[in-house]
Amino acid sequence: MASYINSAIDYSKSTLAFFAGLYNNAVTGKYHYDPESIPNLEGKVFVITGGLRGIGLHVTTFLTSKGAKVYSLSRNAAHSRAAIDSIHEQHPGAKIEYVSIDFNDLSTVGPAAKQLLAQEPEIHGVIHNAGIFPEKDTPDDVVFRVNVLGPHLLQKYLDNVLIATAKKHPNQTDQFRIVWVSSFVQFISLKHGGIDFDNLLKGTPLTSYERLAPMASYTHAKVANIYDSIQWIKHHPDSGVLSVSLHPGAVRTELNPVGSPATKLIEKVGHDPVYGAYTELYALLSSEITSAQNGAHIVPFGRMGTIRADIERAANGPEGERLWNYIEDQIKDF
């Protein structure tokens, strides 16, 4: 009975949070973080995946305009180099390095990370911004690999340098961060705790309903990003690095599949990608985020939000450790 009551309470809270989030993200256009307040970032080095499209392009532009050096990791070299040229036209001194990586091919992650680390003795922050929203025929394992396994593996390669940088600058407390880009879809996961472990471990489809399959696999991956943000802290105590997740906002980006119902809605009520950049910049740089908020979830467009209650409990408990171990096992050969 107690378990039933707790589930009912969680469901009620999730429903209220869903509609509150829908209003905040789709109806209002306010932003709560002003990028003009970004301090001088000379000497800072940031790593951004998918950094030269949509939200990531704006984040990279803001950071480099303040003097930071940005390593942009993505798989489309031609597009990335064209975007870099465009940024240089606006900011001739912008420091941007492109590194080729493809999260759907985990064998590319190690070489990309090693190329980056060979050039940089320090890293001050990482934004795991890249991801895919599946088409109806995109396999679940591809969605999970690109959105979860790839970012986790990359972070594993970057951990030592990021943590060493934080230890080297103890006067810059709370300024070193990992940002895991999740989504508002955490609130529509049909699984208690957000992760369908039974089917994940079996490698079977996350839903038997064909029309819901893309959303099910995407929701599953974005909840996993929240788990990762929380479990990273547990596996790296006293690191001097903050780990947070976020929902960037309902913005018009190339991530949304052409012609899907979600895309059609976002085209009508979604915001310009620059607003999503405000959310990510807040998570990466805001002084409002301290060690007391380690593991926080940031929402549009630059403010503290909430994680669905049952997902937050699961991510902090045995389920979180279970997912972490599963991911570690999947990437151990790379």
Side-chain angles (χ1 to χ4, degrees):
M1 178 61 72
S3 175
Y4 175 81
I5 293 174
N6 286 335
S7 295
I9 292 172
D10 281 344
Y11 180 80
S12 298
K13 288 181 178 178
S14 298
T15 302
L16 291 173
F18 175 86
F19 286 109
L22 183 63
Y23 177 81
N24 288 332
N25 298 320
V27 179
T28 63
K30 297 179 180 179
Y31 63 87
H32 304 267
Y33 182 68
D34 183 359
E36 295 303 317
S37 66
I38 297 174
N40 185 294
L41 297 173
E42 289 286 344
K44 302 286 188 180
V45 177
F46 299 101
V47 177
I48 305 176
T49 63
L52 292 167
R53 284 183 182 272
I55 294 172
L57 175 61
H58 289 289
V59 172
T60 299
T61 302
F62 279 122
L63 292 176
T64 55
S65 72
K66 295 292 185 174
K69 184 175 184 178
V70 172
Y71 282 84
S72 178
L73 280 62
S74 66
R75 63 185 177 86
N76 191 324
H79 181 277
S80 296
R81 298 194 188 286
I84 290 173
D85 290 341
S86 176
I87 294 175
H88 280 153
E89 289 178 5
Q90 302 174 57
H91 308 286
K95 298 184 282 288
I96 313 171
E97 295 284 343
Y98 167 71
V99 179
S100 178
I101 198 169
D102 182 356
F103 282 154
N104 194 35
D105 179 0
L106 296 182
S107 69
T108 69
V109 177
K114 291 173 184 177
Q115 177 186 338
L116 187 166
L117 294 172
Q119 299 178 65
E120 290 301 332
E122 294 190 356
I123 296 174
H124 300 82
V126 181
I127 302 180
H128 294 291
N129 172 76
I132 60 167
F133 190 103
E135 303 287 352
K136 64 180 181 179
D137 56 350
T138 307
D140 289 348
D141 65 304
V142 172
V143 180
F144 197 78
R145 185 159 53 248
V146 173
N147 289 330
V148 183
L149 299 184
H152 185 106
L153 178 59
L154 174 63
Q155 188 57 51
K156 195 175 181 70
Y157 275 103
L158 302 181
D159 279 343
N160 287 343
V161 171
L162 178 60
I163 293 171
T165 306
K167 299 290 187 184
K168 185 178 178 180
H169 301 281
N171 59 317
Q172 298 178 24
T173 306
D174 300 334
Q175 294 186 27
F176 305 91
R177 302 180 188 177
I178 306 168
V179 178
W180 309 82
V181 177
S182 179
S183 171
F184 169 68
V185 298
Q186 61 160 308
F187 290 108
I188 62 173
S189 171
L190 300 178
K191 202 72 176 175
H192 187 80
I195 298 291
D196 183 354
F197 280 104
D198 290 339
N199 289 311
L200 174 66
L201 298 178
K202 293 176 184 175
T204 50
L206 295 167
T207 176
S208 58
Y209 297 97
E210 183 178 350
R211 292 177 65 86
L212 295 179
M215 183 57 74
S217 60
Y218 184 70
T219 299
H220 190 261
K222 293 291 103 179
V223 170
N225 293 145
I226 294 175
Y227 273 54
D228 236 358
S229 71
I230 291 172
Q231 280 294 311
W232 190 93
I233 300 166
K234 293 180 177 295
H235 285 267
H236 301 85
D238 304 316
S239 67
V241 177
L242 303 185
S243 174
V244 301
S245 61
L246 62 79
H247 164 47
V251 298
R252 302 182 296 273
T253 75
E254 296 174 0
L255 179 68
N256 304 310
V258 177
S260 73
T263 298
K264 291 177 181 178
L265 176 62
I266 290 174
E267 285 175 351
K268 292 183 178 180
V269 302
H271 302 285
D272 188 280
V274 72
Y275 284 90
Y278 297 162
T279 312
E280 293 191 11
L281 288 166
Y282 176 86
L284 183 69
L285 300 171
S286 175
S287 60
E288 293 179 4
I289 303 174
T290 68
S291 55
Q293 287 83 37
N294 204 3
H297 186 71
I298 310 305
V299 296
F301 291 107
R303 55 198 168 99
M304 295 291 179
T306 58
I307 298 170
R308 202 175 86 182
D310 61 305
I311 292 175
E312 185 168 23
R313 281 199 301 271
N316 277 288
E319 295 94 338
E321 185 70 22
R322 186 182 186 188
L323 182 66
W324 180 276
N325 291 337
Y326 172 76
I327 293 172
E328 288 281 302
D329 184 63
Q330 296 299 301
I331 65 171
K332 67 180 185 298
D333 295 329
F334 299 98

